[in-house]
Amino acid sequence: MKMAGAYQKGLLSSPHAILNYNLIGSVLFFGNSYGPAPYYGEEPYSGRRILEGIKAGEKENNK
């Protein structure tokens, strides 16, 4: 969700590739986010669909 939020904010579409790698590393290794929980900058509709998919997968795995 945090990576999707950074993408939605336009931070991953920067023309400077090295900045993109630093941004990705900050999200993956340090847990930085670019918006408040639970969607971390992702659009609310997309965030709800992502969470629904995660919950459906957990339900399927617990059978």
Side-chain angles (χ1 to χ4, degrees), residues 18-31:
I18 191 69
L19 295 177
N20 293 344
Y21 289 120
N22 288 336
L23 178 80
I24 292 168
S26 73
V27 171
L28 293 177
F29 299 117
F30 301 111

Side-chain angles (χ1 to χ4, degrees):
M1 292 289 282
K2 292 179 181 182
M3 191 68 70
Y7 181 76
Q8 286 290 329
K9 297 283 184 179
L11 299 173
L12 294 179
S13 59
S14 167
H16 306 291
I18 191 69
L19 295 177
N20 293 344
Y21 289 120
N22 288 336
L23 178 80
I24 292 168
S26 73
V27 171
L28 293 177
F29 299 117
F30 301 111
N32 292 350
S33 64
Y34 298 93
Y39 305 129
Y40 302 104
E42 177 68 66
E43 293 177 356
Y45 178 80
S46 302
R48 288 191 303 270
R49 299 293 82 80
I50 291 168
L51 291 177
E52 284 180 5
I54 291 170
K55 290 177 185 176
E58 289 173 349
K59 184 177 177 182
E60 187 68 28
N61 287 337
N62 290 331
K63 283 186 177 181

